[in-house]
Amino acid sequence: LAKTTQPISMDSYEGQEVNITCSHNNIATNDYITWYQQFPSQGPRFIIQGYKTKVTNEVASLFIPADRKSSTLSLPRVSLSDTAVYYCLVGALRNTDKLIFGTGTRLQVFP
Amino acid sequence: EAGVTQFPSHSVIEKGQTVTLRCDPISGHDNLYWYRRVMGKEIKFLLHFVKESKQDESGMPNNRFLAERTGGTYSTLKVQPAELEDSGVYFCASSRGRDFEQYFGPGTRLTVT
């Protein structure tokens, strides 16, 4: 699976939009980009997944440029409850292989 | 739909003792995974079951760790004998298969003293 690089931490305030960028320069043609969220004392939770362009669900948006060497997770109007660690993972869809977690980005939302 | 459950939530044992962790996946999920995070490190893959068969156990650190999934339902992970470096949080995850979404349990925090 492709290696990913993310910022270690980010701070934001309630109501703001947060964008977390992940670099994955050696992404393969068959790889998808997936983001997980982890709250303290819980297991990681799937947020969103995409292959190219833009994907949006009720929680977040995922922007992927044409070269797919990076991706940006966008959280609209964050609240205190969005304080968590966010992981960017790259791997093939329909490949129920092991997930490889990096260090993730620790997002702290302030009131 | 019930999520992935793990038992116990926390276990404190002495070095040399044995501990067994249990994971109940989401009903109908054939794929079951074990991961762990040791202190200050990243979440690391341990092994992957498809039903009762071990698909990939490349992440198992050594032969003190034994995972089973009899009948293809719940799974156990036994550590025998436990060492100090085994301390950490052990996560279990399950998926239906053929997609990338894995559902994680809350983890078992293992402390070896």
Side-chain angles (χ1 to χ4, degrees), chain A residues 85-106:
Chain A
V85 178
Y86 293 83
Y87 296 97
C88 165
L89 293 87
V90 174
L93 187 64
R94 298 188 182 279
N95 176 9
T96 52
D97 203 351
K98 55 192 175 188
L99 296 178
I100 298 180
F101 289 85
T103 55
T105 298
R106 184 173 300 277

Side-chain angles (χ1 to χ4, degrees), chain B residues 14-28:
Chain B
E14 294 183 352
K15 176 182 174 181
Q17 290 186 323
T18 297
V19 63
T20 300
L21 313 181
R22 172 171 171 144
C23 168
D24 285 81
I26 294 172
S27 178

Side-chain angles (χ1 to χ4, degrees), chain A residues 11-18 37 39 59 75-84 86 107-111:
Chain A
D11 292 336
S12 183
Y13 291 94
E14 282 191 292
Q16 291 188 332
E17 177 184 78
V18 172
Q37 173 191 55
F39 297 113
V59 177
L75 305 172
R77 298 179 299 282
V78 294
S79 63
L80 296 176
S81 63
D82 292 317
T83 294
Y86 293 83
L107 173 65
Q108 178 69 53
V109 180
F110 295 95

Side-chain angles (χ1 to χ4, degrees), chain A residues 19-103:
Chain A
N19 296 307
I20 305 174
T21 298
C22 177
S23 296
H24 27 80
N25 290 319
N26 59 340
I27 189 169
T29 302
N30 295 331
D31 284 344
Y32 280 69
I33 299 152
T34 308
W35 286 79
Y36 277 78
Q37 173 191 55
Q38 185 180 23
F39 297 113
S41 302
Q42 294 186 25
R45 183 175 73 103
F46 173 89
I47 301 176
I48 196 167
Q49 182 180 70
Y51 183 81
K52 62 180 178 180
T53 62
K54 176 183 175 182
V55 179
T56 297
N57 62 23
E58 65 278 6
V59 177
S61 294
L62 178 59
F63 298 92
I64 306 169
D67 66 5
R68 304 199 328 120
K69 293 184 182 298
S70 67
S71 59
T72 299
L73 174 72
S74 181
L75 305 172
R77 298 179 299 282
V78 294
S79 63
L80 296 176
S81 63
D82 292 317
T83 294
V85 178
Y86 293 83
Y87 296 97
C88 165
L89 293 87
V90 174
L93 187 64
R94 298 188 182 279
N95 176 9
T96 52
D97 203 351
K98 55 192 175 188
L99 296 178
I100 298 180
F101 289 85
T103 55

Side-chain angles (χ1 to χ4, degrees), chain B residues 36-52:
Chain B
R36 75 171 181 176
R37 168 187 276 143
V38 295
M39 186 64 70
K41 299 291 182 60
E42 299 164 2
I43 299 172
K44 296 289 188 183
F45 167 83
L46 294 178
L47 87 160
H48 170 203
F49 283 99
V50 177
K51 297 185 179 179
E52 67 275 8

Side-chain angles (χ1 to χ4, degrees), chain A residues 41-43, chain B residues 4-6 89-92 104-108:
Chain A
S41 302
Q42 294 186 25
Chain B
V4 176
T5 58
Q6 294 185 244
V89 182
Y90 290 75
F91 295 103
C92 174
F104 282 76
T108 293

